[in-house]
């Protein structure tokens, strides 16, 4: 007479070590490790800040709420725009001059820009224009700053000669 015994099999399911998923998980982990190693290879970061005098401060405000990176003057070098909601000027442009950054005032009124903003060629004249939304949700508008091209008036905070104008508040 044969005696049957009951066997209890405890199966532990771990997505990294079971037969079906272990290959996928290991491949994923190796891919992430390779990408991180490749991304850090040969990269050295250097901090530049207005707090250390490397560039002019946007203004005396304490709430810079937006930053856009774009080539405003189409010289092939990315510039950046900073918006601030508590002090004027509310929108400034930083242009790299080969050694550091020159600051230009785009808008010297109070805009209250939200965290964000965007740019595109709204008026289809070949240069990039800026769109900002006011910070307060009770202000139902969008500020469009059209880039009028023109010559740069200088540096150190001067307004670019006719470059931007507030064209619409939608």
């Amino acid at each position: 007479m044969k005696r049957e015994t009951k066997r209890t099999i405890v199966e532990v399911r771990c997505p990294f070590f079971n037969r079906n998923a272990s290959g996928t998980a290991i491949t994923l982990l190796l891919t992430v490790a390779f990408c991180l190693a490749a991304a850090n290879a040969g990269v050295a970061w250097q901090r530049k800040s207005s707090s250390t005098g490397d560039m002019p401060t946007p203004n005396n405000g304490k709430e810079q709420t937006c930053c856009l990176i774009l080539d405003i003057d189409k010289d092939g070098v990315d510039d950046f725009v900073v918006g601030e909601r508590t002090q004027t000027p509310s929108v400034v442009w930083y242009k790299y001059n080969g050694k550091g950054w020159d600051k230009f005032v785009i808008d010297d009124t109070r805009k209250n820009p939200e965290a964000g903003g965007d740019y595109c060629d709204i008026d289809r004249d070949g240069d990039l224009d800026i769109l900002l939304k006011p910070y307060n949700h009770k202000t139902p508008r969008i500020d469009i700053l059209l880039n009028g091209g023109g010559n740069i008036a200088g540096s150190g905070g001067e307004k670019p000669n006719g470059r931007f104008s507030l064209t619409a508040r939608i």
Side-chain angles (χ1 to χ4, degrees):
M1 186 169 203
K2 233 180 183 186
R3 192 168 161 194
E4 288 191 38
T5 59
K6 291 185 179 181
R7 293 184 190 175
T8 304
I9 299 174
V10 176
E11 187 173 333
V12 177
R13 293 188 181 253
C14 176
F16 296 106
F17 299 106
N18 75 27
R19 282 180 274 175
N20 297 329
S22 64
T24 304
I26 290 171
T27 302
L28 177 65
L29 289 173
L30 288 174
T31 302
V32 168
F34 177 78
C35 289
L36 288 174
N40 288 324
V43 175
W45 293 95
Q46 184 178 19
R47 180 176 187 256
K48 299 287 185 178
S49 172
S50 59
S51 67
T52 57
D54 297 315
M55 64 186 72
T57 58
N59 60 25
N60 292 326
K62 304 260 187 266
E63 296 183 26
Q64 288 81 27
T65 54
C66 68
C67 183
L68 302 172
I69 299 171
L70 63 152
D71 186 5
I72 290 177
D73 55 359
K74 301 186 298 183
D75 65 353
V77 177
D78 282 337
D79 309 300
F80 62 97
V81 172
V82 176
E84 212 284 336
R85 69 183 184 132
T86 64
Q87 299 280 325
T88 59
S90 61
V91 185
V92 294
W93 160 32
Y94 287 88
K95 176 179 175 43
Y96 191 67
N97 62 24
K99 296 179 185 174
W101 287 268
D102 294 325
K103 178 180 86 171
F104 300 97
V105 175
I106 291 176
D107 196 314
D108 57 2
T109 63
R110 190 165 172 188
K111 290 264 175 290
N112 298 330
E114 173 63 79
D118 209 344
Y119 59 89
C120 66
D121 185 6
I122 295 171
D123 55 3
R124 298 181 182 179
D125 65 351
D127 52 28
L128 296 174
D129 308 304
I130 298 173
L131 293 90
L132 298 174
K133 166 71 177 91
Y135 181 76
N136 186 334
H137 70 281
K138 295 177 183 175
T139 308
R141 75 165 199 257
I142 295 173
D143 294 330
I144 300 173
L145 299 161
L146 291 179
N147 183 346
N151 298 320
I152 298 171
S155 63
E158 298 93 9
K159 190 167 186 170
N161 189 12
R163 181 163 288 277
F164 281 90
S165 61
L166 176 64
T167 310
R169 285 191 168 166
I170 300 172

